[in-house]
Amino acid sequence: MTKRSVPIVDRVTDAFFALDTDFRFTYLNDRAEALLERSREELLGRVMWDEFPETVETQFPDGFHRAMDEQVSVSFDIYHARIETWFETRAYPSETGLSVYMRDVTERKRQETTLAQHAAVVEAGHDGVVTLDRNREIVSVNRSLESLLGADRSEMIGEHVEIVPELAGIDPVDTLEIGRAITDVDVGNADRRNLEVAFTDAGGTDRMGEFRIVPIADIRATVGVIIRDVTDQHEHERVVTSLHEITRWLLESDDPEEICAIAVHAGSDLLEFPISGIWLLDDEHGYLDPVAGTAGAHEELGGLPRFYSGEGLVWNVFESGEIERFDDLRAAEDLYNPDSPIRSEIIAPIGTHGVLMTGSLEPHQFDETDVDLLSTLVENTRAALDRADRERVLRERTTELERQTERLESIAEILSNDLKDQLESVSEALEDDPDEWAFAVAEDSVGATLDRAEQLVDDVREFARNASAVGTRSRIDLESAIETAIAASRLDDDAVIVDQSAMLRADADRFVHLLETAFDNIAARAETDVTVQVGLVGFENAGRSDRSRDSRGFFLLDDATEIPPTAHEQVLDPSTDDDTAIDGLGLALVRAIAEAHDWTIAVDNGENGGTRIEIRDVTTLEVQESRTRR
C-alpha cells in the first residue's frame, strides 16, 4: 500500500485493514480501529491471531489462508456477537499480503431472514401464491399453486403473469379484471384488491377462487397474488340462500306429507344427502311413522321402518330434542338394526312433529357444516309444519263451529218442542183430575217433566262446551272405562256384560262420557230390567293385513225397546229433516265424541231384536287377556 492511497482508504465507510504475508497488521483505517477497539499504534506490526485469539475459531483463518495460498479473493459473512452485528468480509490477496474489507450487513441479514421466514410460510400455506416483478413476470410460485394448476413452477417462473389465467381456464373478462387489479396495486392506486373468480383446477373441476392482490417489499418482486380456493364457502353461501328459497315453498303448502317430501328432496338435491327420510309422530298410536324418503333411502334400507317408543337412535334423538351426529354407527349403542348398511348419520328432531334422518354408507361422512345446514332445513320444515297445524286447526274449528251452530239450532227446536209437549201433558192432567192435581201431578207428571227437562238441559250444556273436542289421548282399559261409566249412568251395575277385555287410546274423560251417554240412552228406552252386551268387532281378519285395523271397534247390544229403523239416522243427527219423534240428544252426543276421535258410529237392530250401537275405525283397539265381568 502506498502512502498516496492511505487518505482514500481512510475515507472508505467500510472497515478496512491490511495484513502482510505473516498476517501482521500493516494498516487500519478509522472504521477498523473503531470496530476492533484498538488503535493503529497498538496493532501495526502485530500478528492478527495473537492480538485477537478469538478469531481463530471463526471463518477468518480458513478464508485468509485460502486467499493467500491460492491467490484468490474470498468473501464470507461473519457475526460479531458482542456488538450483535453481521459483517460481510472480503479479502483480496497480493504478493505483499491481504487487503480486507468488512461491511455492516446486519439490516440485509435481517431482511433475508424475514424473507426466508415469509417464504417458508408461503411455501407451507394452503393458498396458492405467485409474485411478480414490475414487468409482470413471475418471480416465484409456491407448491400450493403448482398443485392447484397442475403445473411445475419451472414452467411458470420468468413467464408473463398471463400464463396463470391460461392454466386456470379463467374467462377473458375476469383475466382482464385481474390485470387491472395488479396494475392498481403496483402503481399505488390501491392498497390491495380482492376478486372472486371462477377457475378450473388441475383435475378439471370447476372451482371458485378468491384472488387477493397485495404489494410486497422484495428485492425483485413488487406484487403478490394470493389465490384461495373458496369453493366450499361459496357453495355454503349458495346453499343457505337456496334453503331460504325452499322455505317459501314449504310455507306455501298446508299438507304435512307434501312439506316433508319437499324437505327430504331438498336435502337430497341441494345438500347432497341422498339417503334421507322424515318420520312424523302419530299422536293416536304413539309411534314415529315414515312419511317421506328419498329413493336412495328406500333402495338402501328396503323401505323406512316405523319406530315405536324406545326403539333405536331415531326415537332417542326425538325424545332428547337435540340434533346428533353419529360418525360410526358400529360404535353406537341402541341401534334399531345392527345389520343396517348405514355407517354414519345425522338425526335432527323437527320440534315435536318428528325427526329427519340422513345417512351414508361410509363412516365419518358428515361434519359440522353438514349439521348446520341440516339444522337450517329442519328449522324451516318445523316452521312449515307448525303453520300447517295452525291452518288445519283453524279449518277444523271453523267447520266445527258451523256444525255446532246447526246442531244448537236443532237442539233449541227439540228442547222447545219437548218442553211444550211436557207442559201440555201437565195441562191435560189438570183438566182430567182437577180435584187431585196437587198430589198426582206433582208426584208423577210434574216430576217426570222436570226430570226430562233436566236431562235436556244437560245435553244442551254438553254441546255448548264443545263435546266434540278431545284432549290428550292415553292408553285406556275398556272394562275399567265401562265400570266408571256405569257408575255415573242410570243403568244398574250388573246390566252390562263384557265379552272380551281390550285396550285402546282415547281421551279418557270424553270416552267415559261417550259410554255413560250411551248407557243413559239405553236406560231411557228400557221399560223393565235391561241387559247390555259389549263386544269387539273387526278381529276376525286381523292377521291378514294392516287394513283390518281400520274396521276394528266395539258394539253395545241392548234388549230395551228398540229404536225403529226409520229413526236410526235421526237419533244420531237431530238436525235431520224427519218427522220421526226422538228421545233426547244422547246418541247425537255419542256420535260427536266418536267422530272427534276419528271413529265412525252406526245404529242398527240386533238379529233377535233390540238396538245395536256399533263404533268402528278404532285402530288402536287391541285384544287383552279376557276377564269377563257381569
Side-chain angles (χ1 to χ4, degrees):
M1 175 162 308
T2 65
K3 291 181 180 180
R4 189 174 51 157
S5 66
V6 170
I8 297 174
V9 174
D10 275 340
R11 292 195 296 272
V12 173
T13 57
D14 297 340
F16 170 79
F17 60 87
L19 303 174
D20 63 16
T21 55
D22 292 325
F23 301 104
R24 292 185 177 89
F25 287 100
T26 59
Y27 180 77
L28 296 89
N29 71 354
D30 294 340
R31 289 277 293 169
E33 283 184 297
L35 175 63
L36 300 176
E37 297 181 342
R38 301 279 290 276
S39 67
R40 292 189 183 95
E41 289 73 15
E42 291 180 275
L43 294 178
L44 290 177
R46 304 280 186 176
V47 176
M48 181 179 179
W49 320 128
D50 294 339
E51 297 302 316
F52 300 100
E54 67 273 14
T55 61
V56 175
E57 302 299 328
T58 67
Q59 294 165 281
F60 280 117
D62 290 340
F64 288 179
H65 280 293
R66 178 170 174 266
M68 196 78 76
D69 294 342
E70 301 179 14
Q71 287 296 294
V72 295
S73 61
V74 296
S75 177
F76 52 86
D77 293 340
I78 192 165
Y79 183 67
H80 196 304
R82 192 175 60 78
I83 61 175
E84 298 181 347
T85 304
W86 279 95
F87 291 97
E88 180 186 60
T89 302
R90 300 193 304 275
Y92 301 94
S94 67
E95 294 179 358
T96 59
L98 292 174
S99 296
V100 181
Y101 294 86
M102 297 181 66
R103 172 174 294 175
D104 185 344
V105 293
T106 303
E107 184 59 31
R108 191 198 77 191
K109 279 289 186 180
R110 186 177 294 113
Q111 290 181 358
E112 288 178 353
T113 300
T114 300
L115 289 173
Q117 291 172 344
H118 289 173
V121 171
V122 168
E123 188 65 24
H126 296 294
D127 297 341
V129 179
V130 55
T131 61
L132 312 172
D133 62 17
R134 292 200 178 277
N135 296 321
R136 308 293 183 269
E137 292 180 353
I138 297 175
V139 174
S140 66
V141 172
N142 73 342
R143 186 180 299 110
S144 293
L145 189 62
E146 286 184 300
S147 176
L148 195 64
L149 301 181
D152 191 271
R153 67 185 70 188
S154 62
E155 301 175 23
M156 294 182 278
I157 292 177
E159 297 293 331
H160 193 273
V161 68
E162 65 188 13
I163 192 175
V164 174
E166 290 176 4
L167 291 170
I170 296 175
D171 183 87
V173 175
D174 290 332
T175 298
L176 183 61
E177 187 62 26
I178 293 171
R180 289 172 179 167
I182 292 172
T183 300
D184 287 345
V185 171
D186 194 25
V187 301
N189 290 339
D191 293 335
R192 61 179 61 225
R193 288 286 304 276
N194 286 5
L195 303 171
E196 276 199 357
V197 177
F199 71 97
T200 304
D201 66 13
T205 302
D206 292 335
R207 315 290 293 177
M208 181 60 67
E210 180 188 59
F211 284 62
R212 288 178 290 165
I213 297 95
V214 297
I216 58 175
D218 192 14
I219 298 173
R220 296 176 56 198
T222 59
V223 175
V225 181
I226 301 98
I227 305 172
R228 172 169 293 179
D229 187 341
V230 293
T231 305
D232 292 342
Q233 176 185 338
H234 198 269
E235 180 66 12
H236 182 273
E237 293 173 354
R238 183 190 68 80
V239 167
V240 169
T241 301
S242 299
L243 281 175
H244 289 303
E245 177 65 18
I246 288 170
T247 302
R248 182 176 63 81
W249 301 344
L250 291 171
L251 293 176
E252 286 178 351
S253 174
D254 59 3
D255 180 4
E257 291 193 11
E258 182 180 36
I259 290 170
C260 293
I262 292 172
V264 295
H265 289 296
S268 176
D269 300 338
L270 184 61
L271 306 182
E272 297 183 355
F273 295 155
I275 305 176
S276 300
I278 288 181
W279 288 255
L280 294 184
L281 180 66
D282 187 304
D283 289 324
E284 182 179 356
H285 299 87
Y287 52 62
L288 289 169
D289 201 32
V291 296
T294 60
H298 287 283
E299 290 173 4
E300 299 298 340
L301 303 177
L304 301 181
R306 176 179 290 165
F307 294 102
Y308 288 85
S309 177
E311 287 188 341
L313 300 176
V314 167
W315 187 273
N316 293 345
V317 170
F318 173 67
E319 281 197 328
S320 74
E322 299 291 334
I323 188 170
E324 287 199 44
R325 185 183 84 206
F326 299 92
D327 292 326
D328 191 346
L329 290 177
R330 290 186 180 176
E333 299 179 355
D334 297 331
L335 293 182
Y336 175 78
N337 177 15
D339 298 324
S340 170
I342 303 297
R343 289 292 307 279
S344 57
E345 65 185 12
I346 303 174
I347 305 175
I350 311 173
T352 58
H353 298 284
V355 295
L356 186 153
M357 184 280 288
T358 187
S360 172
L361 302 181
E362 300 295 330
H364 302 280
Q365 289 300 297
F366 303 107
D367 56 22
E368 285 303 316
T369 298
D370 295 323
V371 172
D372 291 342
L373 291 174
L374 198 66
S375 296
T376 301
L377 176 60
V378 163
E379 182 59 24
N380 294 343
T381 304
R382 182 201 61 76
L385 289 173
D386 284 347
R387 177 184 174 278
D389 277 354
R390 290 193 298 270
E391 293 289 334
R392 176 184 55 79
V393 170
L394 181 59
R395 288 194 302 271
E396 290 177 352
R397 286 179 178 174
T398 300
T399 302
E400 181 58 29
L401 284 173
E402 292 173 351
R403 186 170 61 179
Q404 288 287 74
T405 299
E406 293 176 357
R407 286 183 173 178
L408 286 172
E409 290 175 352
S410 300
I411 291 166
E413 184 176 355
I414 293 170
L415 180 62
S416 174
N417 292 336
D418 207 334
L419 288 177
K420 181 180 178 181
D421 291 342
Q422 299 302 320
L423 290 174
E424 286 179 354
S425 67
V426 171
S427 177
E428 291 174 358
L430 288 173
E431 291 176 358
D432 292 342
D433 192 3
D435 296 331
E436 302 294 329
W437 69 268
F439 299 96
V441 172
E443 182 178 353
D444 299 322
S445 302
V446 175
T449 299
L450 293 177
D451 287 344
R452 175 64 182 155
E454 182 180 2
Q455 180 62 44
L456 286 170
V457 170
D458 287 343
D459 288 349
V460 172
R461 183 183 295 113
E462 184 63 32
F463 264 84
R465 71 187 185 98
N466 195 8
S468 62
V470 297
T472 303
R473 303 189 190 204
S474 58
R475 193 167 171 79
I476 298 172
D477 179 81
L478 180 60
E479 288 185 82
S480 297
I482 289 173
E483 290 173 358
T484 303
I486 292 174
S489 74
R490 289 182 287 169
L491 278 183
D492 293 334
D493 182 59
D494 60 352
V496 179
I497 300 173
V498 180
D499 289 347
Q500 196 166 11
S501 298
M503 302 290 292
L504 72 156
R505 291 179 64 87
D507 179 331
D509 290 340
R510 298 288 85 208
F511 183 64
V512 168
H513 192 75
L514 178 152
L515 294 172
E516 176 191 342
T517 304
F519 291 155
D520 281 343
N521 175 270
I522 294 170
R525 290 187 283 105
E527 297 179 354
T528 59
D529 292 340
V530 66
T531 300
V532 182
Q533 176 189 1
V534 179
L536 305 182
V537 294
F539 286 90
E540 59 276 4
N541 297 319
R544 294 183 182 179
S545 70
D546 284 343
R547 285 193 173 186
S548 63
R549 301 181 70 91
D550 296 338
S551 62
R552 290 184 181 183
F554 59 92
F555 66 85
L556 286 73
L557 177 60
D558 65 73
D559 56 6
T561 302
E562 67 179 33
I563 299 173
T566 55
H568 289 172
E569 183 178 353
Q570 190 178 11
V571 294
L572 295 176
D573 187 359
S575 64
T576 302
D577 293 331
D578 195 306
D579 295 331
T580 306
I582 63 168
D583 184 22
L585 303 173
L587 294 185
L589 290 176
V590 172
R591 176 185 180 182
I593 298 172
E595 290 182 348
H597 284 83
D598 297 322
W599 304 335
T600 58
I601 183 172
V603 175
D604 202 351
N605 297 118
E607 294 180 1
N608 300 313
T611 301
R612 179 184 173 102
I613 302 169
E614 191 171 284
I615 296 177
R616 294 261 188 171
D617 297 331
V618 187
T619 58
T620 58
L621 190 66
E622 299 287 348
V623 175
Q624 300 293 305
E625 183 178 349
S626 180
R627 53 184 182 92
T628 304
R629 70 177 295 280
R630 171 78 187 189

